[in-house]
Amino acid sequence: MDSATPTSAAIHAPRDTAPDPRRWWGLAVIALAQLMVVLDMTIVNIALPSAQSDLGISDADRQWVVTAYTLAFGGLLLLGGRVGDLIGRRRALIIGLLGFAGASALGGIAASGGMLLAARGLQGVFAALLAPAALSLVSTTFTEPHERARAFGIYGAIAGGGSAIGLITGGLLTEYLSWRWTLLVNAPIAIVAVIGARVFLHDRRRDSESRLDVVGAVLASAGLLSIVYGLSEAEQHGWTSGLVLSLLAGGLALLALFVVAEGRVAHPLLPMRVLRDRNRAGALLSVGLVTVGMFGMFLFLTYYLQVTLGYSPVRTGLAFLPMTAGMMTGAVGIASRLLPRVPARMIMVPGLLVAATGLVLLTRIQVDSSYVTHVLPSLLLLGIGMGSTFMPAMSTATFGVAPRDAGVASAMVNTSQQVGGSIGIALLNTVATSATAHYLTTHGTSQLAMATGVVHGFSVAIWWAVGFVLAAAVIASVLVTARPAATRTDVEVAEERVPVLV
């Protein structure tokens, strides 16, 4: 019998504690912490031109202001998730918040480009500890189906809409205060979250001690770092570059060694039982593929609004607000109400098809397109579709996992987002650049042709994003087969979560 299979006694054991009446305040704290982490992936984007000019960062190095954060975040998530399992999720959340606040303050007072890059890397390190702890606290705090659906609806909306909120906040802070406040703003937010965590959150003590898998941590972190680094370098050096191919091949080799090593240690960093569940695997794959398209779309649409249509940073940020509203509607208004009664794939698949429709509409943009008629409808559909997808996917990916593995399961959700986002930025940007170059070779290099060629490149890349979203819909329809949580007994839930992926 698999070690994750619960015994009959365990299934029918009485509940040991009543739900904490303050758990919804705890969710507010978790949501605040998660929002800070997610929006920091985009809040600096709009502020980057100002920071580059102020600190004298070269064009070749400016990408590292963003990449330093995603590299550390994506590469260390598995380690951060397991550390949270060992030391306690609330403690990991508080340490992550304090560290993130300190790193943000360091970046906000940066006197040089090197100091800013170091601060962004530190932000990623502490985000890798904070994010899995936040998601696992939601998973272990809310177990009743209807409450769980509502909690994950709120969390999913924040996880999906945080990037758009980051663009809005970044534009406002940059235009009316300073680019430094896109980093400094994290310090007071983190302090409030720490106070709230100490008051409203609690963690069950572990009954048994476990050791950290050092070999697994090194292999997984090095493998993920190598892959994310390789993907980030593809934009500058091309996919056939020896450096890029070496980094990608080396990263895959390290991850293969990691899988082999995990089967031979007593306390693995990533127990394979976490991934053998077909519903969890399908949810993780769907999230990763969707994020490929979403991150690329954010990048292209930001440039389109600012460079092609001439929007200011504030106007650009506000232009994404309808998508944020759509995500809240999809996650809280639709998915959270349906998930207790409807199978997750019956929410995810329609949501993904709605999002794909929004992307298809976005491919129609031209140099002189109207925001109201061409961009706004796409953003609304994307928001509703993504909100309806992320919420049930995150709930499914963390549902039914053994308490000792809650942190690492949560880390896998964040890892799929980070790796998917890195692939999306690198791959789709390369596609867009190539399409633009091909367009210019046949239409000349006049000012109008160059503007049209850039938009053409965006459209071609967005078609690729449509393909990734549709692939996610297929995977969700095939792998995510669990019945609604509200219709299952404890025994059936336990049986469904026995590894069955073949």
Side-chain angles (χ1 to χ4, degrees):
M1 179 180 291
D2 188 278
S3 60
T5 306
T7 65
S8 177
I11 293 171
H12 296 287
R15 307 293 182 187
D16 54 352
T17 57
D20 187 341
R22 300 179 300 173
R23 60 194 179 281
W24 292 105
W25 285 106
L27 178 63
V29 173
I30 295 169
L32 184 63
Q34 179 64 16
L35 176 62
M36 185 177 66
V37 170
V38 175
L39 67 81
D40 241 69
M41 288 186 285
T42 55
I43 192 172
V44 177
N45 287 11
I46 292 180
L48 186 54
S50 299
Q52 180 183 359
S53 175
D54 194 13
L55 299 180
I57 302 173
S58 68
D59 289 343
D61 292 336
R62 67 184 176 185
Q63 64 165 325
W64 286 104
V65 177
V66 176
T67 306
Y69 179 74
T70 57
L71 267 175
F73 194 4
L76 298 174
L77 270 166
L78 277 177
L79 178 60
R82 181 51 81 192
V83 169
D85 286 336
L86 296 178
I87 69 173
R89 287 79 186 233
R90 189 183 77 156
R91 182 180 298 175
L93 182 72
I94 291 174
I95 294 173
L97 284 167
L98 292 174
F100 198 90
S104 299
L106 180 65
I109 63 172
S112 66
M115 187 175 176
L116 177 60
L117 295 182
R120 290 288 285 167
L122 278 175
Q123 279 186 308
V125 170
F126 287 105
L129 181 63
L130 188 163
L135 182 54
S136 58
L137 280 168
V138 177
S139 181
T140 56
T141 300
F142 297 92
T143 56
E144 192 276 326
H146 288 83
E147 284 197 347
R148 181 181 177 86
R150 193 182 313 161
F152 270 94
I154 296 170
Y155 185 92
I158 290 172
S163 297
I165 295 173
L167 294 171
I168 297 169
T169 307
L172 291 170
L173 292 175
T174 300
E175 187 156 331
Y176 293 113
L177 292 175
S178 165
W179 67 266
R180 296 182 181 276
W181 277 101
T182 61
L183 294 166
L184 291 173
V185 71
N186 289 321
I189 294 175
I191 291 172
V192 172
V194 167
I195 295 172
R198 293 187 64 87
V199 174
F200 298 116
L201 294 176
H202 63 85
D203 213 3
R204 293 181 181 177
R205 292 187 177 275
R206 294 176 54 86
D207 296 329
S208 60
E209 293 299 325
S210 179
R211 291 191 299 268
L212 185 64
D213 175 18
V214 177
V215 174
V218 172
L219 290 174
S221 299
L224 289 172
L225 283 168
S226 181
I227 290 175
V228 176
Y229 182 35
L231 291 170
S232 67
E233 288 297 288
E235 179 181 350
Q236 182 176 354
H237 298 286
W239 289 99
T240 58
S241 163
L243 173 63
V244 172
L245 293 176
S246 298
L247 287 167
L248 295 178
L252 291 174
L254 288 169
L255 291 181
L257 289 174
F258 167 70
V259 172
V260 173
E262 292 303 272
R264 301 184 178 184
V265 296
H267 305 286
L269 182 69
L270 175 59
M272 291 299 107
R273 60 180 175 267
V274 174
L275 296 181
R276 290 193 189 107
D277 180 281
R278 65 181 300 157
N279 295 289
R280 186 172 297 114
L284 291 172
L285 285 172
S286 298
V287 169
L289 288 170
V290 168
T291 312
V292 171
M294 287 295 292
F295 269 62
M297 185 278 299
F298 276 128
L299 178 67
F300 301 141
L301 199 52
T302 299
Y303 274 97
Y304 175 73
L305 293 173
Q306 287 201 52
V307 177
T308 304
L309 298 186
Y311 281 23
S312 68
V314 170
R315 193 178 179 188
T316 300
L318 293 175
F320 282 95
L321 190 58
M323 185 170 68
T324 303
M327 286 183 173
M328 292 295 294
T329 301
V332 181
I334 298 175
S336 67
R337 295 176 183 271
L338 294 178
L339 188 60
R341 300 183 298 273
V342 177
R345 67 174 171 181
M346 298 301 293
I347 307 172
M348 293 174 62
V349 173
L352 290 165
L353 294 178
V354 169
T357 302
L359 287 172
V360 170
L361 293 178
L362 200 57
T363 63
R364 304 176 307 150
I365 58 173
Q366 303 294 329
V367 173
D368 57 350
S369 292
S370 165
Y371 170 82
V372 174
T373 58
H374 289 80
V375 178
L376 179 59
S378 299
L379 290 178
L380 289 171
L381 289 174
L382 280 168
I384 293 172
M386 291 299 96
S388 300
T389 299
F390 278 119
M391 180 267 161
M394 290 180 174
S395 179
T396 301
T398 57
F399 183 69
V401 70
R404 66 184 182 277
D405 296 328
V408 73
S410 301
M412 285 303 301
V413 176
N414 287 281
T415 299
S416 65
Q417 287 181 296
Q418 291 303 307
V419 174
S422 297
I423 293 173
I425 291 174
L427 173 61
L428 298 185
N429 191 63
T430 301
V431 169
T433 302
S434 300
T436 297
H438 179 72
Y439 183 91
L440 294 179
T441 58
T442 57
H443 292 80
T445 57
S446 66
Q447 185 175 0
L448 177 60
M450 292 182 67
T452 305
V454 169
V455 176
H456 170 73
F458 293 166
S459 297
V460 172
I462 292 171
W463 275 113
W464 279 66
V466 172
F468 281 106
V469 174
L470 291 177
V474 172
I475 288 174
S477 66
V478 173
L479 291 182
V480 182
T481 60
R483 287 164 38 206
T487 67
R488 288 174 281 169
T489 66
D490 287 346
V491 174
E492 289 174 322
V493 168
E495 290 175 346
E496 282 185 6
R497 293 305 169 182
V498 174
V500 294
L501 185 62
V502 295

